[in-house]
């Protein structure tokens, strides 16, 4: 098989690498990918993920068997619809189904209609009405911009003042542009977070092993929200019953609800969950693999990812086998991220204790790899236990020259408590 991956981050590096490990796969192209992927034999294609026409031509000219979409933006732009209209195979939800991620209001309605446990909420387009509601409910309370805001459109307000300020920024000052014209105000859920992803083909759901992301920039979950600073899998403090309940009460009804809605979902469904005292509740759905969860979930997949996706595209049941190994991944970010940060930093070299999955990197004029984004790479290790995997990954990071960068020192710490 010859495959095309859309996207350019650490998640796509992990997906492409896993696909290339299949004996059935001859070549994996990534558009645009990043230069760090080349060491693993992934071929870069210099076409923007927004240029569906050029991507379709590339897939046709290169006889690509099927395409896999990493990020949400092309999904929401209808890349799946466009490839299918051109008679090409592509794995991911179409534009209508991707709304499960693209519109919080759509997701909330799906949950309401299908009795899927989530936080109570109200949707507002009127600033004054939103303020009045927040004053009535009090803090802690959660304020979310309805559209996509690159993970930064959520404020978990511990005080009423913070909540009102968030509404002012989103609705009056338009900090997130149009995404903030409609705001969801949500009940605060208390409990540990975990991510449960599944391969979905219409009403059929094939769950993956769970992972835990670390969204805040600094140790002990302090500092601003980021795109994710590290992840690990398994998550031993989340019970098997909690996970089973999430599959039965959340993933399966969500997939069935999408079919009933006439927006059937085929692709990767990601549930961001909180393990509350009353069972799992949904914080958000995503229509794609999570970043950085993918970088620790896929290494634990022992069956063939290319075969799984080929099976799903052919309406067959795939075989999913998972290893008992633990995986821990730590993101190396430029100092200052998620605020202002420097680009063009030298990219550290690593020994072989850790697997390196690259994200924000480019080659300079001399062909030397330099940072080009906030999250530059993720170092991952696999071992028999989380503690052992942590030890390996932190050893690799300590031994590298990480001047100009920072990383969290506590990835996986909650599993040890
Ligand atoms: P989201 O972008 O929806 O994933 O939200 C970002 C982060 O805000 C989540 O990872 C949670 O830590 C937190 N969060 C979102 N919704 C809630 C909620 N209803 N209760 C408590 N925390 C929340
Ligand atoms: N790790 C969170 C996300 O991918 O949305």
């Amino acid at each position: 098989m010859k495959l095309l991956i859309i996207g350019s981050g650490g998640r796509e590096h992990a997906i492409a690498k896993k696909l290339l490990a299949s004996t059935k796969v001859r070549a994996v192209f990534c558009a645009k990918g990043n230069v760090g992927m080349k060491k693993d034999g992934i071929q870069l294609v210099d076409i923007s993920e927004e240029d569906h026409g050029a991507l379709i031509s590339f897939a046709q000219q290169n006889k690509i068997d099927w395409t896999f979409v990493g990020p949400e933006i092309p999904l929401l732009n209808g890349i799946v619809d466009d490839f299918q209209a051109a008679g090409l195979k592509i794995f991911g939800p179409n534009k209508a189904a991707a709304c499960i991620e693209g519109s919080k209001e759509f997701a909330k309605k799906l949950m309401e209609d299908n009795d899927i446990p989530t936080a109570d909420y109200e949707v507002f387009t009127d600033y004054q009405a939103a303020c009045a509601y927040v004053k009535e409910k009090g803090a802690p309370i959660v304020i979310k911009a309805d559209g996509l805001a690159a993970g930064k459109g959520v404020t978990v307000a511990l005080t009423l003042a913070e909540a009102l300020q968030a509404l002012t920024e989103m609705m009056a000052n338009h900090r997130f542009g149009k995404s903030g014209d409609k705001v969801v105000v949500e009940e605060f859920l208390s409990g540990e977070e975990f991510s449960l992803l599944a391969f979905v083909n219409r009403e059929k759901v094939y769950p993956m092993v769970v992972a835990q992301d670390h969204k805040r920039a600094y140790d002990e979950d302090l500092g601003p929200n980021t795109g994710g600073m590290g992840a690990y899998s398994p998550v031993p403090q989340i019970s098997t019953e909690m996970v089973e309940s999430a599959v039965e009460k959340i993933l399966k009804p969500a997939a069935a609800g999408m079919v009933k809605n006439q927006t059937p979902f085929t692709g990767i469904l990601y549930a961001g969950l909180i393990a509350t005292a009353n069972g799992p509740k949904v914080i958000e759905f995503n229509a794609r693999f999570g970043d950085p969860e993918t970088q620790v979930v896929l290494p634990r997949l022992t069956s063939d990812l290319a075969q799984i996706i080929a099976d799903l595209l052919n309406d067959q049941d795939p075989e999913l086998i998972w290893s008992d190994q633990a995986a821990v991944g730590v993101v190396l970010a430029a100092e200052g991220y998620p605020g202002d940060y420097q680009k063009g930093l030298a990219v550290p070299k690593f020994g072989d204790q850790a697997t390196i999955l690259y994200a924000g990197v480019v080659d300079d004029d001399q062909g030397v790899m330099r940072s080009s984004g906030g999250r530059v790479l993720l170092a991952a290790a696999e071992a028999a236990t989380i503690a052992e995997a942590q030890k390996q990954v932190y050893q690799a990071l300590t031994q590298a020259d990480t001047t100009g960068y920072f990383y969290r020192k506590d990835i996986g710490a909650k599993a040890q408590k």
Side-chain angles (χ1 to χ4, degrees), residues 104 119 142 144 151 154 156 186-189 193 215 225 274 283-284:
K104 294 208 190 283
V142 181
K144 301 185 175 185
V154 176
V156 179
E186 214 176 77
E187 169 199 6
F188 172 80
L189 297 176
E193 281 184 65
K215 288 201 170 128
N225 251 320
I274 291 197
I283 317 174
E284 61 166 352

Side-chain angles (χ1 to χ4, degrees), residues 388-408:
E388 187 53 35
Q390 268 177 326
K391 202 170 122 196
Q392 282 180 30
V393 79
Y394 281 118
Q395 243 167 25
L397 282 160
T398 316
Q399 284 167 15
D401 178 4
T402 56
T403 312
Y405 294 90
F406 78 103
Y407 56 90
R408 276 183 65 161

